[in-house]
Amino acid sequence: MKIVITLFFLVLFTAQPNAQSDKENIPSKIAGQQNGKIVFTSFRDGNEEIYIMDSDGINQNSLTNNTTNDGYTSWQFVNQAGVCTYSLFPTSAPVHASGSTPGTGGGFDVTTQAGCAWTATSNANWITIIEGSGTGNGSVIYSVAANSGAARSGTISVNGQIFTLNQSSASECTYLTSPQQAIITPSGGSGSIYLMTNHATCAWTTQTDASWITITSGSTGTGNGTVTYSVAANTGQSRTASIMVGGRSFHVYQSSAQPTIITVTTLVETAEGKPVKGAVVTFTIAVTGENLMAVTNAFGYARLKIPSGEGYAITVSHKKYRFPVQNTRIVGEGVMVVFRSQPSMENGGEKEIKINPNLPIENFSITDYLVK
């Protein structure tokens, strides 16, 4: 029996339908989800039924009670009539005295419910809105004129939410680094950071608190300059650290030489919630580019062993359906990654909605695409 469930705020989890115990139906480790619910299937009463529980596993209640198996739930997102909430990310940004253009990072994201319209307005004549309206989730693009006077601040308002721009003065020292991060293999390596300032007399220093990172040149300087560093080999688990250059943070990530191997489960479904058989699931390790692959069974499931703690680009390939790419870091056992095909690529026009993108996700990585 196919069941349609409508909820206002959900995290979807559907367990493997041919499992024979609750232990196989519920992952062993699920990160806490604020204001979230988990829906799962279980054979606890002799046949497959659909249950709902709080994100911490308590208050488990049956949603169905039939003699036949119930599963493959379809989801529909419903916005409460007339209720629209908005949030911005980030909520502020520094701007160099020389100004900015859309091609140099002048933008921020707007998150709201499907069908909710929004418009961006500037309170300063030196801030120009390039793209500033939309419906549902979207982005605002702006440009900032050069500043020849004192430091100044301006705002962009989006339906009551405020984004603040702080532009430095022409005489104030400002610093920019390129790139902003590096990914190093377990064997170690070296790299460089280019620092740009707005005045040749602006002084800067470089420092790091990580014993496994050595600054080989550019510990101090004035004006534009280059910092070089080396990273020692890693004999333990993956690790991260920062190098501070002119007050700017440069992030270093190094993968593990002896990673913990975990089992991850992937569920691949159509936009209607039906399992997709024969889909190729590929986990690409961000640091090494290594590909780990598995093929889904008749129930849409694929399991494979991967190193814990790595960053992955996860793709699904199928001859009929198309799926969004997921980029995530996976830590610990009990992880399930859910893929839903994109309706817009199946039936030519149905809009895809990604629900609740701002939930804190730690050990439980899940992305669910719902049909409006």
Side-chain angles (χ1 to χ4, degrees):
M1 178 179 295
K2 183 176 181 180
I3 305 299
V4 177
I5 302 172
T6 301
L7 293 176
F8 291 108
F9 192 73
L10 291 176
V11 177
L12 172 64
F13 169 74
T14 305
Q16 187 172 353
N18 63 345
Q20 296 300 315
S21 69
D22 293 338
K23 182 177 180 180
E24 294 177 355
N25 275 275
I26 304 176
S28 60
K29 186 180 293 183
I30 303 175
Q33 304 287 345
Q34 295 179 354
N35 301 321
K37 294 287 185 180
I38 295 174
V39 172
F40 63 97
T41 58
S42 173
F43 289 82
R44 63 183 63 180
D45 67 350
N47 70 302
E48 186 181 21
E49 301 289 353
I50 301 174
Y51 294 80
I52 191 169
M53 66 180 178
D54 294 343
S55 58
D56 57 5
I58 64 174
N59 295 326
Q60 297 185 17
N61 295 294
S62 174
L63 297 178
T64 60
N65 185 17
N66 301 293
T67 57
T68 59
N69 289 337
D70 296 316
Y72 308 122
T73 56
S74 296
W75 297 82
Q76 184 178 21
F77 177 75
V78 178
N79 180 31
Q80 297 178 1
V83 177
C84 292
T85 59
Y86 301 89
S87 63
L88 312 181
F89 182 83
T91 57
S92 64
V95 183
H96 194 277
S98 61
S100 70
T101 63
T104 58
F108 58 89
D109 295 330
V110 179
T111 301
T112 185
Q113 289 85 0
C116 290
W118 52 268
T119 302
T121 57
S122 166
N123 78 333
N125 59 10
W126 48 275
I127 301 174
T128 302
I129 306 298
I130 306 299
E131 297 179 13
S133 63
T135 301
N137 295 342
S139 299
V140 173
I141 306 298
Y142 61 85
S143 65
V144 178
N147 183 15
S148 59
R152 58 188 181 182
S153 294
T155 62
I156 298 174
S157 175
V158 180
N159 290 57
Q161 302 299 307
I162 301 300
F163 177 84
T164 303
L165 289 163
N166 299 304
Q167 189 175 29
S168 60
S169 70
S171 59
E172 181 182 351
C173 287
T174 58
Y175 304 90
L176 294 174
T177 58
S178 179
Q180 283 77 49
Q181 64 176 4
I183 300 174
I184 308 297
T185 61
S187 60
S190 60
S192 60
I193 309 166
Y194 182 59
L195 178 72
M196 295 163 282
T197 70
N198 58 330
H199 294 293
T201 57
C202 290
W204 47 268
T205 60
T206 304
Q207 57 185 341
T208 180
D209 58 359
S211 60
W212 46 278
I213 299 177
T214 302
I215 306 301
T216 53
S217 68
S219 57
T220 61
T222 56
N224 296 342
T226 301
V227 175
T228 60
Y229 61 91
S230 63
V231 178
N234 184 12
T235 59
Q237 296 301 307
S238 59
R239 55 190 182 182
T240 60
S242 295
I243 300 174
M244 299 298 297
V245 185
R248 296 285 182 171
S249 181
F250 176 85
H251 301 285
V252 179
Y253 170 76
Q254 188 175 30
S255 57
S256 172
Q258 298 177 334
T260 300
I261 303 300
I262 60 173
T263 300
V264 63
T265 301
T266 303
L267 173 60
V268 180
E269 297 178 325
T270 66
E272 294 77 23
K274 297 180 180 179
V276 176
K277 178 183 178 181
V280 178
V281 181
T282 303
F283 283 66
T284 302
I285 302 176
V287 176
T288 63
E290 179 183 359
N291 292 324
L292 307 172
M293 294 182 289
V295 179
T296 57
N297 61 18
F299 302 101
Y301 287 86
R303 287 191 177 95
L304 69 164
K305 295 184 180 297
I306 64 172
S308 176
E310 296 289 346
Y312 292 93
I314 311 172
T315 59
V316 174
S317 300
H318 190 268
K319 60 183 179 181
K320 180 178 180 180
Y321 302 105
R322 298 294 180 267
F323 300 87
V325 178
Q326 297 193 41
N327 295 283
T328 186
R329 187 178 307 282
I330 298 178
V331 181
E333 292 282 357
V335 174
M336 173 173 283
V337 183
V338 177
F339 278 88
R340 273 249 171 109
S341 62
Q342 295 179 332
S344 59
M345 302 187 74
E346 286 182 42
N347 48 35
E350 202 167 13
K351 184 179 180 181
E352 67 179 60
I353 302 172
K354 185 177 180 181
I355 193 169
N356 195 23
N358 297 317
L359 272 179
I361 299 177
E362 297 170 3
N363 294 333
F364 188 74
S365 175
I366 179 169
T367 300
D368 182 32
Y369 283 77
L370 311 183
V371 181
K372 180 179 179 183

